[in-house]
Amino acid sequence: MKKIFISIFVSVFLAACGGGDSSAPGAKGAPGGKGAPGGKGGPGGKPAREIAVEGYIAEAHEGGKTFSAMATLEPLNSVELAAAASGRLMNLYAKDGASVQKGTLLAKIDDSELRAQLKQAQSNQQLAQQKFDRVKGLYEKDGVTKADLEAAEASLKSSEASVELIKAQIAKTEVRAPFAGKLGFVNVSVGAWLTTGTPIATLREVNKLKAKFALPQRYASALKVGDAVELKDEERDVSKSGKVKALEAALSESSRTRQILVEIDNANGELLAGSYAKVSVSMQSGRMKTIPVPAEALTLDKDGAYVFVAVGGKAKIKHVETGLRTPISVDIVSGIDEGDTVISSGLISMREGAAVRIREIRHNTDYELE
């Protein structure tokens, strides 16, 4: 029995080895068999790899985008009116909340001592002038030396300077409006002793307002001085149009934004300084048409930005010039044509000339909004 069992085992083993002989006619891998050259799948039996992708049909757009931000409305000019000299407040013309014109006298500090000094200085000036005139006449007749004339002239100039100094000190006893505007609450009363820097009231120019807001880096060059900006106080449903007055020279390093200053005409007092307003900016792309494409379709290399477009079932690289950029789209200024099928997925493994199959077509860039 043991010999019979061994014979059967050997026969099975040899049969198994014989079944793996690749030289047997019709065996797997033999010429003419499945996977052989010339068989199904072409050389080597590996079919060309086709990448299934999403495509976007390029369509030109004309016009701009709208960017919105919140801004605080501020007076065009604002100043804390304060005493420029020390003394007793003799007259107060400022009234709480009053509108005043430029140069209006608002407060007067006692200047009686200074005026007495002024009279004395003016008298000395008059005397110095008379002496100079006499010495000059004598000098012309060789009656005095040139040194006498120069001494008289120096004395006259000194007396004139004394008069100007006292006049300047008297001017400091007056508090005048540096510009037309509206006063806040008055903080002092007649008879109070004021020292230099004592606040009297706040003057604000509210007939014109200004608003500052931050423009993201992608829009940093889209505005220029004089461009129109729309503002709206949504709580009171008041809308006004303003103009860009100035742009910050550089971007903020922390936020990568550019500060924009807008001036608003508020002659009718419709807007309130200190309130919030929604700023809406129309970003004009320029007179030429641009083609927005999905942001994820754009790639960069040493030569700049490029996209893949599908042409005859193959991927083709097109380098492009870009314009405005948003989180979901990029404006293409040049480099692609209307009707091009821009490949927007599978870009990691995409190469020039790769076989592609468009599995889905899109006609808008709002991928994230769908």
Side-chain angles (χ1 to χ4, degrees), residues 60-80:
H61 291 188
E62 188 172 13
K65 296 178 173 62
T66 300
F67 170 79
S68 297
M70 296 303 294
T72 300
L73 298 177
E74 303 174 14
L76 186 62
N77 291 296
S78 179
V79 64
E80 186 76 28

Side-chain angles (χ1 to χ4, degrees), residues 63-68 213 215 219 222-224 227-230 244 279-286 324:
K65 296 178 173 62
T66 300
F67 170 79
S68 297
F213 66 96
L215 202 61
Y219 295 135
L223 284 179
K224 62 181 183 298
D227 283 351
V229 174
E230 298 299 320
V244 176
V279 180
S280 298
V281 183
S282 178
M283 299 296 181
Q284 297 297 328
S285 302
L324 294 180

Side-chain angles (χ1 to χ4, degrees), residues 202-218:
T202 300
L203 178 64
R204 298 181 176 90
E205 185 177 358
V206 292
N207 286 339
K208 291 184 178 181
L209 301 178
K210 62 183 179 182
K212 295 178 184 177
F213 66 96
L215 202 61
Q217 179 176 344
R218 61 181 175 270

